[in-house]
Amino acid sequence: MARRVIDLAAIKRTAERSSRDSAKLEGRVVPREFLGSPKVEKFVAARTRRTS
């Protein structure tokens, strides 16, 4: 596999997105303007406990 140079800003964005997704999974506060990808939303919905 060829080496690639990754922009520091891209790494920061990825870490920020990961942190937000983790917070959402753990039920911590997530900013209202945050929109996860459809794949993440589906995963979160599957992992969320539903009360009757």
Side-chain angles (χ1 to χ4, degrees), residues 22-43:
S22 293
K24 189 168 186 178
L25 284 172
E26 296 169 2
R28 293 186 277 133
V29 176
V30 179
R32 291 208 182 273
E33 67 274 3
F34 173 73
L35 296 174
S37 69
K39 189 174 181 179
V40 169
E41 294 298 325
K42 184 178 178 180
F43 178 75

Side-chain angles (χ1 to χ4, degrees), residues 10-29:
I11 294 170
K12 185 176 178 181
R13 284 191 309 270
T14 302
E16 186 176 331
R17 184 181 319 131
S18 177
S19 296
R20 287 185 190 150
D21 292 346
S22 293
K24 189 168 186 178
L25 284 172
E26 296 169 2
R28 293 186 277 133
V29 176

